[in-house]
Amino acid sequence: MKGAVIGCGFFAQNQLEAWRDIEGVEIVALCDQDAERLNASAAAFNVERCYTDAAKMFEEGGFDFVDIATTVGSHRALVEMAAKAGVHIICQKPFAENMTDARAMVDAAKVAGKTLMVHENFRWQSPIQAALKIVKAGTIGEPFFGRVSFRSGYDVFSGQPYLAEGKRFIIEDLGIHILDIARAFFGDATRIAATTRRINPKINGEDVATMMLTHENGATSVVDCSYATQRTPETFPQSLLEIDGTLGTLRLDAGYRLTVQADGETQTDVSPPLLHWAQKPWHNIQESVLTIQQHFVDCINSGRQPETSGADNLKTLALVEAAYLAAEQGRTVKLADI
């Protein structure tokens, strides 16, 4: 299976490393508007075909899928270009700037008959997967309350300075991941309430957000995110869990400690492996990149839809839009209205 990658920035290096580890996959083309960055990635990953124009890359073809690792403003044009070229598509999150663009991209892939997956990797982190396996097995009964938390003071702006520039920040960039984790555990939501704050005066968007979701099955979840939390030890980039079920509880605490209390108590170390190209503390996320990209390949080979398909991600993106609306207007927003 031959692939192309558009975008050779900070996070795309993880995707390129992961592709190199997946058996039966070869990246044959790279595209980036920054020639210096493009050439550096081509040299590092031994890719001969380099482009600064995505249209020309698609015109020359010769690949089965494209991994779009660019910022959100370019996604719709690139996804529609890829669908027209008849290739399978992975698109970085956030998927789209608005629901209209997101739905248009899903429709384009559907018409083309090609797989469209959003690179929504947090649910694929091995500690989250370990917790999901326990909950789905019914060990703690039916979940009726949960908290999914990501709180850190880590400097994410030095590596990705554009994050400080937008009017939106933490819900759109990080909260989208944590909301998707909530969906994975509790199912789809019917309504959401939210508050936001900007603590860091050097950025334009919000860096603290607290959201409360009501799910279709009656469960309630609290999703809280912060890049303004100063604490020791630093827990970046860990997502922490507290889940109450009708038969017991589950906690994923800092340090990857998974505790289940149901007819007794068990504690397990679910620390993610350190891949040969990964670096702490990013290794948790880096491992999930490899896992989700392997999932994409497996889905194409088996003809099934990815868990985080474009169609599925519409529901996560709707939560993001609804959260901003709820925070702005100080009210609970129904997802049916988004």
Side-chain angles (χ1 to χ4, degrees):
M1 188 181 294
K2 295 181 179 180
V5 175
I6 304 177
C8 299
F10 174 80
F11 198 81
Q13 303 307 304
N14 297 311
Q15 286 151 260
L16 287 165
E17 291 281 10
W19 287 127
R20 190 155 56 179
D21 279 3
I22 296 176
E23 186 177 353
V25 172
E26 179 187 5
I27 298 302
V28 299
L30 297 178
C31 180
D32 196 295
Q33 292 179 329
D34 185 322
E36 181 179 354
R37 192 165 61 185
L38 172 65
N39 292 332
S41 293
F45 295 96
N46 195 29
V47 180
E48 293 185 3
R49 292 173 54 191
C50 295
Y51 302 85
T52 55
D53 181 1
K56 183 172 178 59
M57 186 185 75
F58 282 116
E59 181 182 341
E60 296 188 2
F63 47 89
D64 307 295
F65 73 88
V66 64
D67 187 349
I68 298 170
T70 60
T71 52
V72 65
S74 62
H75 288 175
R76 179 172 178 176
L78 292 172
V79 167
E80 290 180 339
M81 208 180 292
K84 186 176 180 181
V87 299
H88 301 291
I89 308 156
I90 299 182
C91 185
Q92 187 55 263
K93 66 83 208 168
F95 186 34
E97 292 181 305
N98 54 66
M99 295 302 297
T100 298
D101 285 352
R103 293 182 179 112
M105 287 186 277
V106 170
D107 289 344
K110 184 177 180 180
V111 169
K114 295 298 176 181
T115 298
L116 170 60
M117 184 183 81
V118 178
H119 197 111
E120 180 50 75
N121 55 48
F122 270 44
R123 72 160 67 185
W124 290 103
Q125 295 171 8
S126 54
I128 301 297
Q129 286 291 310
L132 270 171
K133 184 177 180 180
I134 291 169
V135 171
K136 299 299 184 185
T139 303
I140 64 168
E142 180 184 352
F144 60 86
F145 173 82
R147 180 186 180 197
V148 190
S149 180
F150 188 110
R151 310 192 72 82
S152 170
Y154 190 87
D155 177 17
V156 293
F157 307 108
S158 57
Q160 298 167 285
Y162 66 89
L163 293 175
E165 299 168 1
K167 293 182 179 179
R168 292 180 170 187
F169 170 45
I170 203 166
I171 298 178
E172 182 177 82
D173 181 70
L174 171 69
I176 192 168
H177 287 309
I178 314 306
L179 288 165
D180 187 70
I181 291 175
R183 286 189 58 229
F185 278 99
F186 304 105
D188 292 327
T190 57
R191 57 186 186 270
I192 185 171
T195 61
T196 61
R197 281 199 64 184
R198 179 172 65 90
I199 304 299
N200 185 347
K202 297 179 180 179
I203 68 172
N204 293 326
E206 81 290 351
D207 52 4
V208 176
T210 306
M211 296 158 275
M212 187 173 77
L213 288 67
T214 302
H215 295 267
E216 290 178 352
N217 61 6
T220 299
S221 66
V222 175
V223 172
D224 60 280
C225 309
S226 170
Y227 270 125
T229 299
Q230 308 296 326
R231 65 180 175 188
T232 302
E234 171 61 68
T235 56
F236 178 90
Q238 299 177 47
S239 300
L240 309 182
L241 301 172
E242 298 177 39
I243 301 176
D244 294 350
T246 53
L247 298 177
T249 63
L250 176 148
R251 296 194 316 274
L252 178 59
D253 293 316
Y256 304 110
R257 298 188 311 274
L258 182 62
T259 302
V260 179
Q261 294 177 326
D263 193 24
E265 177 177 302
T266 62
Q267 292 190 357
T268 310
D269 183 348
V270 290
S271 298
L274 180 64
L275 301 177
H276 65 93
W277 50 268
Q279 305 87 31
K280 292 184 177 181
W282 288 88
H283 64 299
N284 184 22
I285 294 174
Q286 289 167 319
E287 180 225 4
S288 72
V289 171
L290 175 59
T291 305
I292 193 173
Q293 290 177 192
Q294 182 67 65
H295 176 65
F296 175 75
V297 171
D298 293 344
C299 287
I300 290 175
N301 287 335
S302 64
R304 70 183 193 273
Q305 283 295 306
E307 273 193 36
T308 56
S309 67
D312 178 82
N313 195 256
L314 291 177
K315 299 175 182 179
T316 301
L317 189 62
L319 280 169
V320 170
E321 294 299 318
Y324 278 114
L325 185 61
E328 179 185 356
Q329 298 185 355
R331 66 179 179 91
T332 300
V333 173
K334 294 181 179 179
L335 272 298
D337 296 335
I338 300 298

